[in-house]
Amino acid sequence: MTCSRRKLLSRSQRQAAILQGAATAFATKGFAGTAMEEVAAASGITKEIVYRHFASKEELYRAVLDTTTQSLQAEFARASQRYQSGAGIRALLAVGRAHPDALRLLLVHAAREPEFAHYTHQVRTRVINWVLQRRGHDDPLFR
């Protein structure tokens, strides 16, 4: 008889796994349509374990959005230092490759959910402002 051994993760590793599973679950149905049981299943753990790390579904959703925004900002800063142009696209592609569900959640689902739309708005505003500063555009139509 073979038994599969549980892999013990550190707290930060477990939280990262939960965030990844949550991004996948939320990207399918959005915030309102996703139950915590679905997040737990996507993370390969029980709902109780999810609640040990995140007090509520809203806290977890915000944590996914915050983490994704931080990843996007870090990639954007890295790309801005290395390339004259295309930093925004390069950052989006890098985060999209590494965390496709989380990026879809940030740019698509959060934009449709009034309590989370400001996350999407902040990302768009930062990108537009960066382009305007780099290109010297002050055209209201472009904005």
Side-chain angles (χ1 to χ4, degrees), residues 8-34:
L8 296 178
L9 301 176
S10 69
R11 183 165 181 78
S12 63
Q13 290 172 322
R14 176 63 68 201
Q15 284 181 333
I18 293 169
L19 291 173
Q20 184 176 354
T24 299
F26 286 133
T28 304
K29 297 181 184 177
F31 177 75
T34 303

Side-chain angles (χ1 to χ4, degrees), residues 35-83:
M36 286 299 270
E37 290 83 6
E38 294 168 296
V39 170
S43 303
I45 57 175
T46 65
K47 183 172 75 168
E48 290 75 20
I49 299 293
V50 176
Y51 279 116
R52 283 187 194 165
H53 293 271
F54 298 94
S56 68
K57 183 168 88 166
E58 182 175 337
E59 181 184 315
L60 176 56
Y61 195 84
R62 288 186 188 282
V64 173
L65 294 174
D66 287 335
T67 301
T68 307
T69 301
Q70 291 165 6
S71 294
L72 195 53
Q73 288 172 340
E75 284 298 329
F76 186 72
R78 207 173 354 269
S80 295
Q81 291 175 350
R82 293 185 67 200
Y83 303 101

